[in-house]
C-alpha cells in the first residue's frame, strides 16, 4: 500500500533528515486526519515513476510552503485548518455541534458583506469563486445593492479541534421584506445583530431585534465597519444599551470588508448560540421556510428539520395540503445545492420531490412521513397582511394566462404576495395585487417582467378602505370602482400606521413639517443620544404609500430612517374623485382622496390629461368631479378644417353658410363621438397619481 502524502500544513520537522529555514512548514499526512475533497493526493510510487526526481519534487513543495508563509500571519495554520475543514461541510456532526443562526440589521449595515466573509473564512466558498454579495443570486439584488430574498448556507468551522456545523440564513434589511426576516428567525436559535459603527442604531435595527426577541433567540451584537474614519464604536455601544437594552460588554468589533474580527464572530456563534434540541427519534416534522419553482424539477422546498430524520427516497406527506410525494433528492445549501442521503433534527436543507402543483407545498407547511405521521403540525407562520394594493395588467391581452401562471410561481417564492383577478374597462383583464410596501411592489413588478418576460401596466398604489353603508353592512374596498354610491355609504374608514423616524437633530423640523403635510398626528419625540432623536407619528397609510420615504431621505440628506406598523382603522373625510372626458366617466382614473386634497389632485389630473389626449374634430371637456359637482376642468379645442379655403371672395353670406354647416356637424359629432384615451395617457396619469396622492 503506497503512503499517501496529502497537502496539510504542519509545524513538525521535515522527514528524511532534510533541513528547512526557521518558520517554514512542511506537508505531512500525520496531522489533521480530515479528508480533503479538493486536494490532490500524491503517492511515493507516482513520484518515483514520474519524469522528475523525487527529492526535487519534495524541495519544490517546501519552497512553495516557505513562500506562502512570507505573506501569512503567525496563526496561518489555524486559518488553513479551518478552510480545509470547511471543504468537508457535508460530513455529519452530532446535534449538539449544530448552530443555526441568522444575520439581522438595518439596510446597508453590511449583512451581505459579513455573510460573504464568513463563507470565505470557513472555506465554504473558494477565493477564486468569491464575488461581492455572493448569496444575493438575483440580478435585481446586485443592481440595487440590497438583499430581497433570504438565503441559506451551511458552513463547517473547527473550534478547539472540534468540527461544528453552522447553518447561516442571510436576511433582507428593508422594512418591506420584514416577512422574510420573521421566517428566517423561526428557523434559528440565534442571531447576529449587525450595527454600522458610524450610523448607529436605526429604525429597522430596532424592528429586527424585537422580532428576534419574540422568537426567543440569543442575540449577539456586532459592530461593523470599524475601519471607517467616521466610526464611533463607543457611542454606538452606548446607543445599543440605552435604546435596545442589550448587554454590549461582549460586543464584537469587526470590519467585514477588511476581515477584522471574523474569527471572534465564529467563536461567539459556537459558544453563545444554543444547539437545537436532539429529537431525531421522534416522528418527522420539518418546517418549510422558503420554496421556489424550477421548470425542470418542479417545486423545490427549503426546510428546517425540527424532529426526526428524512432520507432520500422516503414517502413524505404535507400536513396542510394533504398531498404525498417521494423525496427524489434531498440535500444542503452550501451555498449551492449539495446532495446528501439523510438530514436529521436541527439541520437545514432542501428537497425536490417532483411537485408539479405550486399549491401543494406552501411556506409554513409541515413535512412528515407518510407511514409514520406526526400527531400535530408545527405552528407555521402568521399570515402576511398586505398594506399596499395596485392593479397589474398585461399590455398584450394574450399574456393574461402567462401573468396568472407567473404570479402563482412567484407567490411560492414570495409568500407575502397576495393577488385576485380584476377587470378594467380601460386595460382589460388583470390582477389586483397586495404588497407589504412600495419597494415590495416595485420588486415584484420587476421580477415578473424579467423572470417571466411579461410587459405590464401598474395602476397607482392604493390601500384597503372600510365603508360603513346605511344598511349597516361593512364593505372592504381597495378599488375606487368598487366604492358604494354616495347615498348608500354612511362613513369611510382608512388604515392608520404608527411611524417611528430616527433622525439627527438638525432635521427634526423638516421631518415634522413633512409629517404634518401628510395629515400625520404627532405622538412624541425623545432624544436617543445627544444628537439623535426619535419622532413618532400616527398617519394614514394612504399618505405614506406615495413618495413619503423619498421625501424623508431627501429632507434629511439620507441620514434619517423609518419603520412603520399597522395600528387599525380610523374614520376620515374621504371622497371619490371621478374623471369625466366628454361627459363619460373613465373608471380607471378614479381615485379615493381626502376632501382637503381633492382640488389639487383634480387640477393636476385634468392638466395632465389635456397634454396627453390627442385633439379631436370637436371640443372635448375634461372634468374632475365629486359626485355631480365639477371641481376642476380643462378643455381640448377642436381641430378646425378651413372650410373657407375655396372661397376667393364673393358674398359674406356664402362664408356664413359654410361656417354654420361646419358648426352643426361638430355639434352632431360631439353628441355621438367617443374619445379614445391612449395607453400612454393612462400610464402617465397613473405615474402622476403616484406622485400627487
Amino acid at each position: 500500500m503506497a503512503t499517501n502524502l496529502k497537502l496539510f500544513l504542519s509545524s513538525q520537522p521535515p522527514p528524511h533528515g532534510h533541513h528547512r529555514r526557521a518558520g517554514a512548514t512542511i506537508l505531512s499526512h500525520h496531522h489533521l486526519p480530515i479528508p480533503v475533497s479538493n486536494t490532490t493526493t500524491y503517492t511515493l510510487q507516482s513520484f518515483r515513476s514520474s519524469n522528475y526526481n523525487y527529492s526535487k519534487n519534495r524541495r519544490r513543495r517546501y519552497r512553495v510552503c516557505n513562500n506562502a508563509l512570507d505573506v501569512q500571519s503567525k496563526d496561518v495554520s489555524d486559518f488553513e485548518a479551518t478552510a480545509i475543514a470547511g471543504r468537508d461541510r457535508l460530513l455529519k456532526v452530532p446535534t449538539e455541534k449544530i448552530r443555526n443562526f441568522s444575520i439581522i440589521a438595518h439596510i446597508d449595515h453590511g449583512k451581505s458583506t459579513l455573510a460573504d466573509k464568513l463563507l470565505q473564512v470557513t472555506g465554504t466558498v473558494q477565493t477564486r469563486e468569491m464575488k461581492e454579495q455572493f448569496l444575493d443570486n438575483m440580478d435585481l439584488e446586485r443592481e440595487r445593492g440590497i438583499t430581497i430574498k433570504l438565503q441559506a448556507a451551511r458552513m463547517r468551522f473547527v473550534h478547539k479541534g472540534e468540527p461544528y456545523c453552522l447553518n447561516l440564513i442571510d436576511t433582507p434589511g428593508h422594512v418591506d421584506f420584514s416577512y422574510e426576516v420573521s421566517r428566517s428567525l423561526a428557523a434559528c436559535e440565534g442571531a447576529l445583530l449587525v450595527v454600522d459603527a458610524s450610523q448607529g442604531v436605526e429604525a429597522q435595527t430596532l424592528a429586527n431585534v424585537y422580532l428576534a426577541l419574540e422568537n426567543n433567540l440569543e442575540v449577539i451584537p456586532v459592530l461593523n465597519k470599524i475601519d471607517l474614519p467616521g466610526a464611533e464604536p463607543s457611542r454606538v455601544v452606548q446607543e445599543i444599551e440605552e435604546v435596545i437594552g442589550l448587554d454590549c460588554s461582549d460586543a464584537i468589533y469587526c470590519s467585514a470588508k477588511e476581515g477584522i474580527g471574523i474569527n471572534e464572530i465564529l467563536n461567539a456563534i459556537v459558544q453563545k448560540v444554543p444547539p437545537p434540541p436532539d429529537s431525531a427519534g421522534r416522528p418527522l416534522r420539518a418546517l418549510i421556510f422558503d420554496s421556489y419553482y424550477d421548470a425542470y424539477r418542479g417545486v423545490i422546498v427549503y426546510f428546517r428539520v425540527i424532529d426526526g430524520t428524512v432520507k432520500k427516497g422516503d414517502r413524505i406527506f404535507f400536513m396542510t395540503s394533504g398531498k404525498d410525494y417521494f423525496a427524489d433528492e434531498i440535500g444542503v445549501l452550501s451555498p449551492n445545492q449539495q446532495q446528501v442521503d439523510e438530514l436529521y433534527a436541527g439541520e437545514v436543507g432542501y428537497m425536490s420531490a417532483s411537485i408539479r402543483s405550486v399549491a401543494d407545498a406552501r411556506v409554513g407547511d409541515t413535512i412528515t412521513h407518510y407511514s409514520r405521521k406526526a400527531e400535530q403540525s408545527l405552528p407555521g407562520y402568521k399570515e402576511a397582511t398586505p398594506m399596499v394594493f395596485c392593479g397589474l395588467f398585461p399590455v398584450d391581452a394574450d399574456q393574461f394566462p402567462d401573468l396568472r401562471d407567473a404570479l402563482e410561481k412567484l407567490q411560492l417564492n414570495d409568500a407575502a404576495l397576495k393577488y385576485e383577478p380584476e377587470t378594467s374597462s380601460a386595460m382589460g383583464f388583470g390582477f389586483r395585487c397586495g404588497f407589504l410596501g412600495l419597494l415590495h411592489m416595485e420588486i415584484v413588478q420587476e421580477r415578473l417582467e424579467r423572470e417571466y418576460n411579461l410587459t405590464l401596466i401598474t395602476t397607482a398604489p392604493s390601500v384597503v378602505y372600510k365603508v360603513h353603508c346605511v344598511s349597516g353592512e361593512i364593505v372592504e374596498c381597495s378599488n375606487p370602482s368598487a366604492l358604494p354610491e354616495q347615498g348608500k355609504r354612511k362613513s369611510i374608514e382608512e388604515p392608520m400606521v404608527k411611524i417611528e423616524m430616527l433622525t439627527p437633530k438638525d432635521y427634526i423640523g423638516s421631518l415634522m413639517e413633512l409629517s404634518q403635510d401628510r395629515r400625520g398626528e404627532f405622538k412624541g419625540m425623545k432624544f436617543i443620544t445627544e444628537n439623535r432623536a426619535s419622532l413618532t407619528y400616527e398617519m394614514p397609510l394612504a399618505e405614506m404609500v406615495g413618495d413619503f420615504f423619498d421625501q424623508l431621505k431627501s429632507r434629511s440628506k439620507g441620514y434619517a430612517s423609518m419603520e412603520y406598523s399597522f395600528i387599525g382603522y380610523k374614520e376620515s373625510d374621504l371622497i371619490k374623485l371621478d374623471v369625466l372626458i366628454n361627459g363619460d366617466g373613465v373608471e380607471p382614473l378614479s381615485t379615493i382622496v381626502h376632501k382637503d386634497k381633492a382640488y389639487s389632485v383634480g387640477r393636476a389630473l385634468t392638466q395632465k390629461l389635456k397634454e396627453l389626449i390627442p385633439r379631436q374634430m370637436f371640443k372635448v371637456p375634461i372634468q374632475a368631479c365629486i359626485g355631480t359637482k365639477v371641481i376642476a376642468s380643462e378643455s381640448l379645442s377642436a381641430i378646425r378644417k378651413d372650410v373657407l379655403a375655396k372661397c376667393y371672395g364673393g358674398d359674406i353670406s356664402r362664408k356664413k353658410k359654410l361656417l354654420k354647416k361646419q358648426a352643426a356637424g361638430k355639434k352632431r359629432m360631439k353628441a355621438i363621438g367617443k374619445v379614445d384615451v391612449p395607453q400612454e395617457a393612462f400610464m402617465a396619469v397613473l405615474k402622476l397619481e403616484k406622485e400627487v396622492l
Side-chain angles (χ1 to χ4, degrees):
M1 187 81 178
T3 307
N4 286 339
L5 289 171
K6 296 193 177 181
L7 296 175
F8 291 118
L9 287 166
S10 164
S11 58
Q12 299 297 318
H16 311 295
H18 283 267
H19 297 286
R20 58 185 174 87
R21 63 187 171 94
T25 57
I26 69 155
L27 308 175
S28 169
H29 70 288
H30 297 299
H31 317 285
L32 299 175
I34 307 169
V36 181
S37 56
N38 296 330
T39 305
T40 309
T41 303
Y42 300 98
T43 63
L44 290 174
Q45 285 178 341
S46 64
F47 278 137
R48 286 171 180 145
S49 61
S50 66
N51 295 330
Y52 294 94
N53 184 275
Y54 173 63
S55 62
K56 197 177 290 182
N57 274 295
R58 190 167 55 200
R59 283 199 300 274
R60 179 178 295 160
R61 285 182 293 145
Y62 293 153
R63 193 158 56 245
V64 169
C65 290
N66 286 329
N67 291 339
L69 264 177
D70 291 339
V71 291
Q72 296 290 349
S73 60
K74 289 183 180 178
D75 59 345
V76 66
S77 56
D78 297 334
F79 182 84
E80 285 294 334
T82 301
I84 289 167
R87 296 173 201 147
D88 298 317
R89 53 196 181 274
L90 300 189
L91 297 181
K92 298 292 182 185
V93 297
T95 306
E96 64 270 13
K97 301 266 179 74
I98 295 175
R99 301 289 184 270
N100 297 315
F101 71 99
S102 183
I103 303 179
I104 55 174
H106 188 83
I107 191 168
D108 281 337
H109 278 211
K111 289 182 307 302
S112 297
T113 312
L114 179 57
D116 291 349
K117 193 59 74 173
L118 291 174
L119 293 174
Q120 196 172 356
V121 167
T122 55
T124 308
V125 178
Q126 300 302 310
T127 307
R128 64 178 179 274
E129 299 169 356
M130 201 64 211
K131 56 186 176 183
E132 286 186 6
Q133 290 181 264
F134 188 87
L135 290 176
D136 295 345
N137 48 26
M138 270 193 272
D139 292 339
L140 205 53
E141 291 178 309
R142 296 183 175 283
E143 287 169 19
R144 290 178 176 249
I146 59 173
T147 303
I148 295 166
K149 280 295 300 170
L150 62 89
Q151 299 291 342
R154 176 178 173 133
M155 304 178 291
R156 188 180 176 90
F157 176 65
V158 177
H159 178 69
K160 295 182 179 177
E162 294 287 336
Y164 284 81
C165 172
L166 309 182
N167 289 312
L168 153 71
I169 302 181
D170 186 23
T171 62
H174 198 280
V175 61
D176 283 11
F177 304 112
S178 56
Y179 192 60
E180 293 280 317
V181 180
S182 64
R183 298 210 318 274
S184 306
L185 296 177
C188 299
E189 281 84 32
L192 293 179
L193 173 67
V194 179
V195 182
D196 189 324
S198 57
Q199 300 280 357
V201 174
E202 297 200 62
Q204 202 55 32
T205 312
L206 290 171
N208 287 335
V209 168
Y210 296 146
L211 278 175
L213 296 177
E214 279 176 22
N215 286 275
N216 298 317
L217 301 190
E218 179 67 36
V219 179
I220 302 170
V222 175
L223 269 67
N224 194 17
K225 305 186 184 180
I226 58 166
D227 58 314
L228 292 180
E232 299 176 84
S234 54
R235 174 184 66 81
V236 175
V237 162
Q238 186 183 349
E239 267 188 29
I240 295 172
E241 288 182 338
E242 289 178 2
V243 179
I244 304 174
L246 280 179
D247 179 17
C248 288
S249 54
D250 295 332
I252 301 166
Y253 293 57
C254 85
S255 168
K257 192 172 184 180
E258 299 297 328
I260 302 166
I262 303 300
N263 278 320
E264 286 82 351
I265 291 173
L266 290 166
N267 291 330
I269 291 166
V270 169
Q271 291 165 7
K272 294 183 180 180
V273 176
D278 188 1
S279 53
R282 297 179 187 172
L284 172 66
R285 288 199 306 170
L287 178 67
I288 300 174
F289 65 84
D290 200 12
S291 56
Y292 72 96
Y293 189 84
D294 187 285
Y296 301 100
R297 297 187 292 168
V299 178
I300 309 294
V301 297
Y302 293 172
F303 62 93
R304 153 85 190 270
V305 184
I306 306 296
D307 299 324
T309 60
V310 60
K311 297 179 182 177
K312 183 179 178 180
D314 282 355
R315 189 176 184 184
I316 49 121
F317 181 74
F318 293 95
M319 297 185 76
T320 304
S321 63
K323 304 289 183 179
D324 63 281
Y325 292 93
F326 287 95
D328 301 330
E329 178 187 328
I330 63 168
V332 295
L333 301 148
S334 188
N336 300 320
Q337 293 179 359
Q338 308 271 348
Q339 290 191 41
V340 297
D341 294 326
E342 181 184 13
L343 290 172
Y344 54 84
E347 290 193 290
V348 175
Y350 75 92
M351 178 171 61
S352 169
S354 302
I355 305 167
R356 289 176 293 279
S357 173
V358 294
D360 291 354
R362 289 290 187 194
V363 167
D365 202 346
T366 303
I367 302 172
T368 187
H369 279 129
Y370 185 80
S371 55
R372 190 189 175 200
K373 293 187 179 72
E375 292 179 8
Q376 191 175 2
S377 63
L378 295 163
Y381 300 110
K382 183 179 163 187
E383 196 79 7
T385 306
M387 306 287 276
V388 178
F389 290 82
C390 83
L392 286 178
F393 297 88
V395 170
D396 183 0
D398 294 339
Q399 285 190 329
F400 176 73
D402 298 333
L403 176 59
R404 183 180 55 223
D405 294 343
L407 282 168
E408 270 186 17
K409 291 170 184 174
L410 190 60
Q411 192 183 43
L412 190 70
N413 191 233
D414 186 352
L417 172 65
K418 299 284 182 284
Y419 65 92
E420 59 184 24
E422 182 185 34
T423 309
S424 164
S425 56
M427 289 174 271
F429 294 100
F431 291 91
R432 190 81 180 163
C433 301
F435 311 94
L436 295 181
L438 274 184
L439 179 63
H440 187 208
M441 185 181 88
E442 284 179 38
I443 295 297
V444 167
Q445 185 190 355
E446 281 268 349
R447 290 186 68 185
L448 286 169
E449 290 180 345
R450 289 188 185 200
E451 296 174 22
Y452 301 96
N453 297 320
L454 298 169
T455 311
L456 301 173
I457 299 169
T458 313
T459 64
S462 63
V463 297
V464 178
Y465 298 96
K466 282 187 178 178
V467 184
H468 292 261
C469 299
V470 178
S471 61
E473 186 185 0
I474 298 175
V475 179
E476 287 195 350
C477 170
S478 63
N479 193 343
S481 61
L483 194 70
E485 293 174 17
Q486 195 166 359
K488 293 182 180 179
R489 58 180 188 254
K490 186 179 175 183
S491 63
I492 303 177
E493 291 183 352
E494 62 180 341
M496 302 292 291
V497 290
K498 179 184 176 184
I499 294 184
E500 185 176 4
M501 296 173 280
L502 271 70
T503 174
K505 65 178 183 181
D506 299 343
Y507 310 111
I508 291 173
S510 58
L511 293 189
M512 290 179 92
E513 183 189 357
L514 171 66
S515 303
Q516 302 284 66
D517 290 345
R518 300 303 176 94
R519 297 193 285 131
E521 186 180 333
F522 179 72
K523 287 296 174 185
M525 179 178 76
K526 61 181 179 182
F527 276 84
I528 299 168
T529 61
E530 190 180 332
N531 296 313
R532 283 168 68 81
S534 167
L535 293 171
T536 308
Y537 274 86
E538 284 184 7
M539 187 182 295
L541 178 61
E543 296 286 345
M544 205 200 71
V545 298
D547 62 344
F548 183 83
F549 185 71
D550 294 338
Q551 286 290 327
L552 176 96
K553 287 293 182 186
S554 175
R555 295 191 183 206
S556 65
K557 298 181 181 175
Y559 285 109
S561 60
M562 62 169 271
E563 204 270 323
Y564 65 89
S565 57
F566 175 70
I567 55 172
Y569 279 82
K570 183 180 177 182
E571 187 176 329
S572 190
D573 195 1
L574 299 168
I575 50 97
K576 181 184 177 185
L577 184 67
D578 292 310
V579 175
L580 303 181
I581 297 176
N582 196 30
D584 296 328
V586 184
E587 202 61 56
L589 298 180
S590 299
T591 55
I592 298 172
V593 295
H594 192 264
K595 197 172 182 180
D596 295 344
K597 293 183 72 177
Y599 176 75
S600 58
V601 174
R603 171 62 58 198
L605 284 175
T606 52
Q607 287 175 347
K608 193 69 177 177
L609 282 168
K610 183 181 178 181
E611 296 171 16
L612 297 165
I613 296 174
R615 288 172 66 192
Q616 308 293 316
M617 296 297 291
F618 51 92
K619 186 179 178 182
V620 178
I622 302 167
Q623 299 164 317
C625 309
I626 301 172
T628 55
K629 181 184 176 185
V630 177
I631 60 165
S633 179
E634 295 284 343
S635 61
L636 278 173
S637 56
I639 300 172
R640 183 173 174 271
K641 182 182 175 184
D642 188 5
V643 291
L644 303 181
K646 58 186 178 182
C647 299
Y648 297 100
D651 190 45
I652 189 68
S653 60
R654 173 66 179 158
K655 294 181 182 179
K656 283 184 177 179
K657 182 182 175 184
L658 289 171
L659 290 170
K660 190 176 178 181
K661 187 178 178 183
Q662 184 187 42
K666 288 195 181 293
K667 186 177 179 183
R668 187 171 66 255
M669 194 184 293
K670 184 177 180 180
I672 62 171
K674 187 178 179 184
V675 180
D676 287 327
V677 182
Q679 200 73 59
E680 295 76 21
F682 277 111
M683 290 296 294
V685 170
L686 293 173
K687 190 176 179 183
L688 177 77
E689 283 184 4
K690 291 175 189 176
E691 294 169 3
V692 173
L693 291 176

